[in-house]
Amino acid sequence: VVGNFLIPELENNNFRMSNELNGGALFDMSAYAMGIGRWLWNCDPKEIKIGSVEIKDDLITSYSLMVDYGLNRVSMGSFGFGYEYVNKVTMFGKNSWGEIDRIFSIPSDIDLDIYGKRNNISWKKMISKEDSFSIFIEKVLKDINSNKSGNWFKKTQDAFNDYLRLANAINEWRQS
């Protein structure tokens, strides 16, 4: 699986460009970088390899990585600020491939197409527009009102633990 989420340069006064406000591509995009494999295979990464890291004023503005989930399951990609806009995931298998644009931070007002080929036959599927942030908040509030913790809580814990793993891998890369 290859995922890339690159956005144009941000203004210096944008909170994502502030160390004091925990900005940077690591904080802002780790859930996307690590979430690809987590969502597909629902397991912890076995190994994270960092390909490159760009730093501006001690703030991580971009990174590339390869994440091994075991059993020949690998995700890789580039994530960061200061690039031409790219927001795409491509999945490859022995007899098939599929691709989706705008997968990260999906706008609530557009339909998305997933397309690809299987055994050299093209296919396409549309995903209807939804407001994913609104749906998430509704689930959280419903669980709070019911004194429950739904699957969103475990997924949030996994995302935080994956962030820590990625931050550690980037820190090791910076020290080498």
Side-chain angles (χ1 to χ4, degrees):
V1 178
V2 178
N4 293 294
F5 191 17
L6 301 166
I7 64 173
E9 192 75 37
L10 298 167
E11 298 289 328
N12 283 338
N13 63 353
N14 186 300
F15 75 94
R16 291 176 287 183
M17 295 302 292
S18 168
N19 275 315
E20 294 78 32
L21 298 176
N22 290 324
L26 174 59
F27 283 104
D28 190 52
M29 297 182 163
S30 67
Y32 305 127
M34 301 299 291
I36 298 169
R38 172 72 65 185
W39 182 78
L40 284 171
W41 302 302
N42 194 30
C43 65
D44 292 336
K46 306 293 183 215
E47 183 179 12
I48 301 170
K49 293 182 181 177
I50 303 302
S52 66
V53 176
E54 291 184 4
I55 300 169
K56 178 180 179 182
D57 299 325
D58 204 36
L59 187 75
I60 296 171
T61 57
S62 71
Y63 54 90
S64 64
L65 73 163
M66 184 173 79
V67 186
D68 183 350
Y69 289 86
L71 303 174
N72 289 322
R73 300 173 300 186
V74 175
S75 69
M76 63 184 80
S78 296
F79 299 83
F81 317 144
Y83 294 87
E84 186 71 30
Y85 186 81
V86 177
N87 182 343
K88 178 184 291 197
V89 169
T90 306
M91 298 171 278
F92 301 94
K94 277 192 171 225
N95 300 313
S96 62
W97 66 269
E99 187 166 274
I100 185 169
D101 288 321
R102 299 297 304 257
I103 188 66
F104 304 112
S105 294
I106 301 171
S108 61
D109 60 345
I110 66 169
D111 296 327
L112 295 179
D113 290 325
I114 302 174
Y115 53 91
K117 282 190 174 183
R118 180 180 173 102
N119 294 318
N120 292 316
I121 299 171
S122 296
W123 58 268
K124 183 177 182 180
K125 179 180 179 179
M126 185 193 69
I127 299 174
S128 297
K129 57 186 159 226
E130 291 185 290
D131 187 340
S132 59
F133 291 113
S134 176
I135 292 168
F136 175 75
I137 295 299
E138 286 174 18
K139 285 183 179 186
V140 170
L141 292 175
K142 181 181 175 188
D143 283 353
I144 288 171
N145 289 330
S146 303
N147 202 24
K148 296 179 182 175
S149 61
N151 69 346
W152 63 266
F153 187 76
K154 171 80 167 91
K155 290 176 188 252
T156 302
Q157 287 178 313
D158 288 342
F160 180 70
N161 289 330
D162 287 347
Y163 156 76
L164 292 175
R165 288 179 181 102
L166 178 57
N168 185 53
I170 288 175
N171 189 44
E172 288 177 7
W173 180 90
R174 288 178 77 177
Q175 292 178 3
S176 64

